[in-house]
Amino acid sequence: MSDSVKENQKKRAANAAMETILPHLSPNTVLGIGTGSTTDYFIDELKNWKHLFDAAVASSNRSSDLLTSYDIKVINLNAAPLIDFYIDGADEINPDRVLIKGGGGALTREKIVAAASEQFICIADDSKRVGRLGSFPLPVEVLPMSRSLVARNLIELGGRPIWREAFETDNGNWILDVHDLFIEDPREIESKINDIPGVVANGIFAQQRADLVILGSNDGVTKF
Ligand code: 5RP
């Protein structure tokens, strides 16, 4: 798929998400906003409707900066009431709406904001749809001092962790990208990885799976 086709699909998904939430916006609405190129398209559309809602909670410094540049009010999660909608992209999406996220390294805050939201709407281009998760290397955020320990444990789980060198998360931590992981039961693997001391969060979103997926295609959008 060419880059421009993919970009058009992302825009389609982002615009369809905006259409979906538009009737529900009110002066009290707080939105959760994810991170990545597809979310950037959503923010680009959202700026046209900023008079219809109260504020946004961002899952990364990058998205917070983009929202602020459009004069959209950004608030801290601790200051937010229940978030009505969380809108974010994904790196892989299975038929059960379980995701792999974290390609951009924002997975921990993304999971937190998703958990604080009533409805998680995942937007993506069609290439993100998979039958089984795991071709995309699974991002795992770790405390820096635990990198080798976590890596050894991930090898025991059958993965091949590679340190994302020269990358620090917004939380001051590091990322291991786990290749070749056989993810038969996403919820089980998500919990097993979370149990390794030093792991902050991993990119499997099974417990925080999407409530609605909107995939952009060449003909329009698919929702499931
Ligand atoms: C960032 C993410 C992104 O949502 C994911 O990487 C998809 O990004 P894009 O919309 O650029 O394809 O999880 O941590």
Side-chain angles (χ1 to χ4, degrees):
M1 195 189 302
S2 80
D3 280 355
S4 70
V5 169
K6 227 182 220 185
E7 294 310 302
N8 273 331
Q9 294 187 354
K10 290 179 190 178
K11 269 188 222 167
R12 281 217 166 111
N15 291 347
M18 192 66 239
E19 275 170 28
T20 304
I21 67 163
L22 199 51
H24 305 284
L25 297 183
S26 81
N28 297 323
T29 303
V30 175
L31 297 173
I33 303 294
T35 302
S37 56
T38 318
T39 305
D40 287 351
Y41 287 123
F42 179 78
I43 296 173
D44 198 44
E45 182 58 27
L46 187 66
K47 70 177 187 298
N48 302 320
W49 306 101
K50 63 184 173 205
H51 55 289
L52 294 182
F53 63 97
D54 180 26
V57 171
S59 72
S60 64
N61 296 340
R62 172 198 149 141
S63 289
S64 177
D65 290 347
L66 189 58
L67 289 158
T68 307
S69 76
Y70 290 135
D71 285 328
I72 295 171
K73 183 165 92 179
V74 176
I75 60 171
N76 190 293
L77 181 61
N78 290 318
L82 186 68
I83 297 171
D84 300 274
F85 295 98
Y86 178 60
I87 294 97
D88 197 2
D91 300 298
E92 282 187 347
I93 304 165
N94 85 2
D96 298 325
R97 287 178 267 109
V98 175
L99 319 169
I100 285 186
K101 290 185 47 53
L107 61 150
T108 301
R109 294 191 188 187
E110 291 172 341
K111 216 175 242 193
I112 293 169
V113 184
S117 303
E118 273 281 281
Q119 223 198 331
F120 175 6
I121 302 179
C122 179
I123 51 177
D125 63 87
D126 198 43
S127 71
K128 305 293 178 64
R129 187 207 302 248
V130 297
R132 179 203 289 265
L133 299 173
S135 296
F136 188 90
L138 176 69
V140 179
E141 179 165 351
V142 300
L143 291 175
M145 71 166 286
S146 69
R147 175 174 61 88
S148 302
L149 171 73
V150 175
R152 285 196 293 275
N153 278 270
L154 290 168
I155 291 168
E156 267 176 36
L157 288 178
R160 188 168 53 84
I162 308 237
W163 178 24
R164 202 183 293 183
E165 283 189 71
F167 180 86
E168 193 180 274
T169 70
D170 286 350
N171 313 308
N173 295 319
W174 291 350
I175 298 273
L176 293 169
D177 291 304
V178 191
H179 297 247
D180 304 335
L181 206 53
F182 184 70
I183 305 179
E184 176 132 55
D185 181 343
R187 192 175 268 265
E188 188 190 15
I189 298 271
E190 181 180 19
S191 297
K192 272 191 180 161
I193 295 176
N194 283 344
D195 283 347
I196 303 170
V199 167
V200 178
N202 73 79
I204 299 179
F205 280 53
Q207 289 165 41
Q208 248 64 58
R209 73 193 183 125
D211 298 295
L212 172 67
V213 171
I214 304 181
L215 287 181
S217 70
N218 293 339
D219 313 322
V221 295
T222 309
K223 297 183 182 181
F224 61 97

